[in-house]
Amino acid sequence: MDFLKSNYLWLITALLLYACTGETKEETTAVPLYGEEDIAKENEKANHFFERFFNEQVGRNPLTQAYLGIKKDYDKWDDISDAHAQKELEIKKKDLQWLKDSIDYAALSGQTKISYDLFVTNMENEISDFKYRFHNYPVNQMRGLHSNVPSFLINIHQITDTKDAEAYAARLEKVGELFDELLVGLRQREEKGIVAPKFVFPRVIDDSKNVISGIPFDNSKKNSAIMADFESKVDQLDIGGEEKATLKKRVSTALIEVVKPAYEKLIAFLEEQATRATDEDGAWKFPDGGAFYNNALQRTTTTPLSSNEIHEIGLKEVVRIHSEMREIMKKVGFKGNLHDFFEFMRTDDQFYYPNTAEGKQDYLDSAVAIIDTMRDRLDELFLTKPKANIKVKKVEAFREKSAGTAFYQRPAPDGSRPGLYYANLYNMKNMPKYQMEALAYHEGIPGHHMQLAIAQELEGIPKFRKFQNYTAYVEGWGLYCEYIPKDMGLYSNPYADFGRLAMELWRACRLVVDTGIHEKKWTRQEGIDYYKNNTPDSERDCIRMVERHIVMPSQATAYKIGMLKILELRAKAQEALGDKFDIREFHDVILTNGALPLNTLEDFVDEYIASKQS
């Protein structure tokens, strides 16, 4: 979802908080007694370390700095070399050992003890998982430097003065070096037998060609995405016309002399590598692929669930949701079976905006209205609300053909950039009206915007926790937020409620197909057929979803596993507290400790229940 993914997305596991201690009548372990001053001193020492760790890590990552609104290395890209990764590994080992040697864990209290546990587990996981650092595809149809370079410059690199504009140009002038290192990484992976499946290559190549089309790359009448962005930002500066022209000339030169050759070199390599690619899709084809995938599932879900258990949960959820959909068929008086209803929802024009500029603007306006309506009702559900604003934006043209349906980008902590809810409006037939509400609730309010913005605005916890990303927690919350507006009567009609169920069904199918492809050796076509036979979504969406599974093993399992856990914890609290249960307090427990592994989240809910009962 955003900048810390590169550090944490695949490197997080279930937190092991408890250890057994042997104690007999003959021999007991003395427990030191600590006064308030001792505890405060040790907490301060640990938190000082966490602050130093975070700041030093940010200081080594220019892109992270920019996401945080820091302009320290504003003219640089991150170092993506394996040599740099090796250095980072040694730093993590050193920091972890320092913490274990220097902090008296028994003297810690409250949030500091939780921070210690989270930090230790995260570092141990990252160190353990370093052996899998090549088990991925650095460029694919979902993400990669080929699309990250323009999207970062357009959406993150702010220009408020001449110095910022010069840094933008300097970044473009370094794209050649960045892409050279990318090619080294792609070759290293191929040496280990890790090459993307065939279908990935035309997607990435097309997106790369899109980046280097338009002025100044060719004689077309329209600016390229990067040139248009730079000119727009520079034109807003309060500087002279001659200085603006000089800056624009520098960027134009960098695009022609550096960026275009870098992309052409990448395209040539991909065209050549594509001739060696196969149709083998699952992670099972990687070195130690089975172990890698099971490890990835644990990191993604923060549970010990096996691939078979996750597969079975998915199958059961599909059956349940289909049953609820049949009830909606009855409500709207539809005659026919569920597949007939799916076809009706897929094809009837009443459910789609026209694929025109006006239709796309109507979609954006409606999404804003949905978010605004929910914003006005937040007091019914939440005690804590984010300060940061949110903006709805369509996915940029250069990446809309291959980008996902919708996604969210968190705001800058300093308020310089709002949270962004992206809707992909490339083809309006892929954005049905009946899913608009659930989609806006998931990506916007009360979904990712509230969770991520609140997390980074929290006080009293270390920064690494404010920006931590446990996928099952983050995406589980997003999916849960599609559900809670139903309790409030916010879904406007039965079709909109069907849209909610359709999106939940989509996530249930993900459990089945992700494990099917990566564990059971399903083919890409088998995955597509499963989606087509069990969901109302378009064939294009089914294809894109399966292709996402293939290039991001385990990631898609997070949504349903996380949602089910949050619902389970809510039911647990409601049953235990009865009339004392307050949904606003429950949501505060979920949101005001930052992202957490699911078992740690349950610990917080248990503490909340106990405190209310006492």
Side-chain angles (χ1 to χ4, degrees):
M1 282 211 314
D2 51 63
F3 74 92
L4 283 183
K5 282 184 175 177
S6 59
N7 291 327
Y8 296 118
L9 183 59
W10 307 109
L11 305 173
I12 297 163
T13 191
L15 190 61
L16 306 176
L17 290 176
Y18 306 106
C20 297
T21 58
E23 184 175 317
T24 67
K25 291 181 180 179
E26 292 77 25
E27 181 180 349
T28 60
T29 303
V31 178
L33 298 176
Y34 298 96
E36 289 184 8
E37 187 175 334
D38 298 322
I39 293 171
K41 183 178 180 181
E42 206 64 16
N43 284 341
E44 182 180 2
K45 184 179 177 183
N47 283 310
H48 178 76
F49 164 80
F50 296 140
E51 184 77 5
R52 176 179 66 79
F53 164 82
F54 182 85
N55 290 337
E56 289 178 355
Q57 186 181 56
V58 169
R60 298 190 299 272
N61 292 275
L63 300 193
T64 300
Q65 294 168 24
Y67 277 104
L68 292 174
I70 300 168
K71 295 183 177 180
K72 174 175 170 283
D73 294 312
Y74 217 42
D75 60 343
K76 298 180 177 67
W77 299 103
D78 287 352
D79 186 341
I80 62 169
S81 68
D82 192 50
H84 178 75
Q86 297 279 357
K87 289 179 183 177
E88 287 292 308
L89 176 67
E90 294 309 311
I91 292 171
K92 289 168 186 172
K93 289 179 178 178
K94 182 180 177 181
D95 283 338
L96 177 61
Q97 196 59 51
W98 187 94
L99 185 68
K100 289 181 175 180
D101 292 343
S102 305
I103 299 298
D104 185 351
Y105 180 78
L108 300 179
S109 64
Q111 289 283 4
T112 307
K113 183 169 284 190
I114 293 164
S115 297
Y116 181 104
D117 290 329
L118 290 170
F119 183 90
V120 168
T121 302
N122 291 342
M123 289 299 102
E124 288 178 344
N125 289 343
E126 291 193 29
I127 292 166
S128 173
D129 293 349
F130 191 72
K131 60 181 175 288
Y132 295 131
R133 67 192 182 280
F134 293 116
H135 284 54
N136 55 48
Y137 306 124
V139 291
N140 58 66
Q141 79 283 2
M142 297 296 298
R143 58 191 181 189
L145 281 180
H146 66 294
S147 60
N148 288 350
V149 163
S151 65
F152 173 87
L153 290 169
I154 291 168
N155 298 306
I156 305 302
H157 190 115
Q158 304 296 306
I159 296 179
T160 57
D161 55 31
T162 301
K163 186 177 179 181
D164 292 347
E166 290 172 342
Y168 191 114
R171 277 190 161 134
L172 289 174
E173 290 161 353
K174 296 181 177 74
V175 166
E177 301 166 18
L178 181 68
F179 275 39
D180 283 346
E181 199 58 60
L182 170 63
L183 292 174
V184 170
L186 290 170
R187 293 188 181 100
Q188 287 175 315
R189 284 165 176 79
E190 184 167 4
E191 289 171 3
K192 300 175 184 299
I194 299 174
V195 176
K198 281 184 179 180
F199 75 83
V200 170
F201 290 88
R203 308 267 199 279
V204 175
I205 291 168
D206 285 348
D207 283 353
S208 297
K209 289 180 178 178
N210 287 339
V211 173
I212 54 173
S213 63
I215 301 170
F217 300 111
D218 53 43
N219 295 321
S220 61
K221 297 180 180 180
K222 187 177 180 180
N223 268 334
S224 63
I226 296 175
M227 195 72 227
D229 175 64
F230 185 76
E231 288 194 351
S232 173
K233 290 173 179 175
V234 167
D235 283 341
Q236 295 176 49
L237 295 180
D238 186 18
I239 59 176
E242 187 175 339
E243 188 174 3
K244 289 180 181 179
T246 299
L247 290 168
K248 292 176 184 178
K249 177 62 176 175
R250 180 179 173 185
V251 163
S252 178
T253 300
L255 289 172
I256 295 170
E257 296 183 358
V258 180
V259 174
K260 185 177 182 180
Y263 272 88
E264 288 175 338
K265 189 186 294 186
L266 173 64
I267 291 167
F269 173 83
L270 293 173
E271 288 175 339
E272 191 261 338
Q273 190 180 55
T275 64
R276 300 188 295 277
T278 70
D279 290 321
E280 292 182 338
D281 299 312
W284 49 265
K285 73 177 185 179
F286 293 166
D288 298 319
F292 160 75
Y293 181 61
N294 285 319
N295 183 71
L297 286 175
Q298 291 181 15
R299 300 295 190 255
T300 296
T301 67
T302 66
T303 74
L305 290 169
S306 69
S307 60
N308 284 330
E309 288 171 324
I310 291 171
H311 192 83
E312 288 302 314
I313 290 170
L315 291 173
K316 290 176 182 176
E317 284 294 287
V318 168
V319 171
R320 177 188 65 79
I321 296 167
H322 279 172
S323 178
E324 292 189 29
M325 285 178 156
R326 290 186 180 96
E327 293 301 312
I328 289 179
M329 283 173 52
K330 294 178 184 177
K331 283 184 182 180
V332 300
F334 183 83
K335 304 300 181 183
N337 60 33
L338 188 58
H339 285 281
D340 295 332
F341 192 53
F342 285 171
E343 184 64 18
F344 167 65
M345 300 298 289
R346 225 183 259 128
T347 58
D348 197 290
D349 287 342
Q350 68 174 302
F351 299 123
Y352 299 91
Y353 287 102
N355 199 37
T356 62
E358 293 78 11
K360 293 176 182 183
Q361 188 59 51
D362 287 343
Y363 186 100
L364 294 174
D365 293 342
S366 296
V368 170
I370 292 166
I371 289 172
D372 287 346
T373 298
M374 172 56 83
R375 197 198 319 265
D376 293 339
R377 301 279 299 272
L378 288 181
D379 286 341
E380 299 172 37
L381 294 171
F382 300 97
L383 298 173
T384 303
K385 295 177 279 293
K387 300 182 183 73
N389 199 6
I390 181 173
K391 180 180 178 181
V392 181
K393 184 176 181 179
K394 67 177 181 178
V395 175
E396 303 90 349
F398 69 85
R399 57 174 174 163
E400 63 182 354
K401 287 184 181 179
S402 58
T405 300
F407 47 94
Y408 175 80
Q409 180 178 287
R410 71 166 78 210
D414 63 1
S416 62
R417 186 183 68 249
L420 296 175
Y421 160 31
Y422 281 96
N424 191 339
L425 306 183
Y426 175 66
N427 183 347
M428 299 307 292
K429 280 293 185 180
N430 299 321
M431 301 294 281
K433 293 178 182 178
Y434 58 81
Q435 289 186 358
M436 282 189 65
E437 293 172 51
L439 201 58
Y441 297 142
H442 180 112
E443 302 294 349
I445 293 176
H448 287 324
H449 179 65
M450 284 198 66
Q451 184 267 309
L452 291 166
I454 287 173
Q456 67 186 36
E457 293 167 5
L458 291 173
E459 297 181 0
I461 65 171
K463 287 179 184 174
F464 85 87
R465 285 179 59 188
K466 295 181 182 184
F467 300 100
Q468 185 70 69
N469 179 47
Y470 292 91
T471 315
Y473 171 94
V474 173
E475 297 298 353
W477 173 258
L479 185 50
Y480 170 75
C481 286
E482 296 175 22
Y483 174 81
I484 53 178
K486 179 176 172 60
D487 293 340
M488 305 167 68
L490 279 176
Y491 283 101
S492 55
N493 55 59
Y495 292 120
D497 195 30
F498 173 86
R500 173 189 68 82
L501 285 171
M503 290 180 62
E504 187 181 1
L505 176 63
W506 195 242
R507 277 49 166 265
C509 289
R510 287 177 177 180
L511 302 184
V512 179
V513 178
D514 200 276
T515 51
I517 288 171
H518 297 295
E519 178 71 22
K520 300 179 183 301
K521 297 188 177 182
W522 285 14
T523 64
R524 173 175 171 272
Q525 189 58 51
E526 285 176 305
I528 293 168
D529 289 343
Y530 185 85
Y531 276 109
K532 287 173 63 176
N533 293 332
N534 288 282
T535 76
D537 292 81
S538 68
E539 182 174 18
R540 184 259 190 194
D541 282 349
C542 296
I543 292 170
R544 290 293 190 261
M545 190 65 244
V546 172
E547 291 175 347
R548 170 177 166 174
H549 284 296
I550 291 168
V551 301
M552 299 167 66
S554 86
Q555 191 272 347
T557 64
Y559 301 70
K560 203 71 177 70
I561 298 300
M563 178 205 192
L564 289 172
K565 189 62 177 181
I566 294 172
L567 286 172
E568 173 195 320
L569 295 177
R570 190 172 90 167
K572 181 180 183 179
Q574 286 175 312
E575 183 178 354
L577 298 178
D579 293 341
K580 291 183 178 180
F581 177 79
D582 186 330
I583 190 67
R584 298 170 304 163
E585 293 176 350
F586 174 77
H587 288 154
D588 236 37
V589 174
I590 301 297
L591 291 177
T592 57
N593 294 288
L596 297 166
L598 297 181
N599 62 332
T600 309
L601 182 64
E602 184 163 13
D603 291 340
F604 275 107
V605 172
D606 288 343
E607 290 175 9
Y608 160 69
I609 292 170
S611 69
K612 293 286 285 186
Q613 288 175 329
S614 64

